[in-house]
Amino acid sequence: MITRAAGAVAALASMFVAVSPALPWFGASTPSGDLTTTGFGSSGALWVLPLLGALGLAVGLAVAASRSPAGLIEERWAGGALVVLGAMACLWALWAALDPPVDVLVADGPADRRVALPVGVRPAAVLAPIAAAIVAGAGAAIALPWRARR
């Protein structure tokens, strides 16, 4: 029962990890209004999150749909895979969120200039590492040997 529930939790959290780069990650306030940029628009390195999220979704759904007895070696491998996928996604998302590679470029006629504005982090940049940590935690719950086995 714990295994299937943890697989469902990992699948749901992986879905958010996969779509999070398409949401606004960073923003800045200007006199003319707020500017926001998505994770993809600000950091091209976030292309890896949808890949890790899709893999986590597939593994989580496979575990959630499993009808096998608890404690099989396949479940322990799946849990380990979720731990690795979640940890990688968490580190990648933290790296992007803690060091926003965002500059504001003002198009001023023939000469463009960069303006130093404080860049704020939007909720998706905070929630993506948390969701990835949930994937890793669910994987640990699946992989841990403390569960009863047949």
Side-chain angles (χ1 to χ4, degrees):
M1 182 68 173
I2 291 174
T3 301
R4 293 179 68 195
V9 167
L12 287 173
S14 293
M15 282 194 302
F16 183 78
V17 170
V19 300
S20 67
L23 301 173
W25 273 53
F26 304 108
S29 295
T30 66
S32 62
D34 286 342
L35 301 172
T36 60
T37 183
T38 65
F40 288 132
S42 61
S43 177
L46 287 179
W47 62 267
V48 77
L49 287 185
L51 175 65
L52 294 173
L55 291 172
L57 176 63
V59 173
L61 287 177
V63 170
S66 175
R67 301 272 184 210
S68 62
L72 288 180
I73 193 71
E74 293 86 4
E75 288 177 353
R76 299 200 52 203
W77 277 102
L82 286 171
V83 169
V84 170
L85 291 170
M88 287 176 58
C90 185
L91 291 174
W92 210 270
L94 280 173
W95 171 69
L98 293 177
D99 186 24
V102 178
D103 288 331
V104 178
L105 184 64
V106 176
D108 189 21
D112 293 340
R113 55 191 168 102
R114 296 195 185 281
V115 178
L117 290 175
V119 176
V121 176
R122 298 292 189 233
V126 175
L127 294 175
I130 293 171
I134 290 171
V135 172
I142 293 167
L144 284 176
W146 54 264
R147 292 180 298 112
R149 293 192 200 112
R150 289 188 217 181

